[in-house]
Amino acid sequence: MRAAGTHVIVVTGRMYQSVHRYLLAADLDDPVVCYQGALVVDQKTGEWLRHVPIPLERARDAMDAVIEAGFHLNAYVDDELYVAAETPEAHAYADLNKVEMHVVGDLREWLQEEPTKLVAVGDPHALDELEAVLKPRFAGKLFVSKSLPHFLEFAHPDVSKGSGLQFVADRMGFTSATTVGCGDGENDRELLDWAAYGVAVANAHPEILARADLVVPDVEHEGIAELFETYLDSRA
């Protein structure tokens, strides 16, 4: 893809330190969009090009709601993961993303800086119920979306994968009209809406499948690789 002159931009909900190793392995050096669009990093230099954290009081309001509902909570400051206690839920996130967790006790009391993101971790169905309650409550105040079924994420209201990619597009000089967006999760809605052509893998969230212009095989059958190969064949 790169040899054909095509930029491959990774747009993810992950922390930068979590996704960085994959970018190095793939030899990708375009800017990377992390934390649902709250952070854009220059992969060549490590410089933070865009950072849109959650205002502190809104973050504390969201923390109160999540903790009161009985869910484990992660907080992200300076691209580090902070938790109140070492729990199975904390390990589930840290192990999946291969990052260190910092245990700080009372997380709400500890938080004195604007966090990049908050994540509630728990049972998928219970988080669906929490999402249904908190989305209207924080409408216009926070971006609220699931990334994986057991992760409910909170960010600044101006944050989304679409806004993060728009920032990169403005910086690099491309437009949505020349962009293919690929996704699978609920948090990919704005990405597919922004791109002129949306692609979903077959195992994607129903909302993403409904938005897609094309559905490719699921992750186990390397649908995105098939998409890239088809694109390259069309240019031959």
Side-chain angles (χ1 to χ4, degrees), residues 71 121-131 146 148-151:
F71 290 91
V121 184
D123 174 76
H125 297 296
L127 282 177
D128 285 341
E129 295 176 1
L130 182 66
E131 182 180 15
K146 277 191 166 185
L148 293 173
H150 45 289
F151 297 148

Side-chain angles (χ1 to χ4, degrees), residues 139-200:
K141 297 179 180 179
L142 289 172
F143 170 85
V144 182
S145 182
K146 277 191 166 185
S147 52
L148 293 173
H150 45 289
F151 297 148
L152 181 62
E153 311 214 353
F154 303 83
H156 189 284
D158 293 340
V159 160
S160 73
K161 290 186 177 182
S163 68
L165 189 54
Q166 178 69 67
F167 176 89
V168 175
D170 291 342
R171 186 177 180 88
M172 295 182 64
F174 64 89
T175 68
S176 61
T178 59
T179 302
V180 176
C182 306
D184 67 341
E186 181 184 330
N187 60 334
D188 290 315
R189 287 175 300 197
E190 292 83 2
L191 172 61
L192 264 66
D193 288 347
W194 185 85
Y197 194 80
V199 177

Side-chain angles (χ1 to χ4, degrees), residues 101-113:
M101 72 175 85
H102 304 280
V103 180
V104 297
D106 187 329
L107 192 59
R108 192 187 186 284
E109 182 67 25
W110 170 86
L111 187 69
Q112 299 298 320
E113 297 181 47

Side-chain angles (χ1 to χ4, degrees), residues 2 4 23 30-31 36 41 48 58-59 61 77 82 87 102 123 129 136-137 170 182 213 222:
R2 294 185 63 194
L23 302 177
D30 285 319
Q36 316 294 4
V41 180
W48 288 21
R58 292 188 203 175
D61 288 345
V77 177
Y82 296 91
T87 65
H102 304 280
D123 174 76
E129 295 176 1
R137 175 172 168 180
D170 291 342
C182 306
D213 299 294
E222 301 184 341

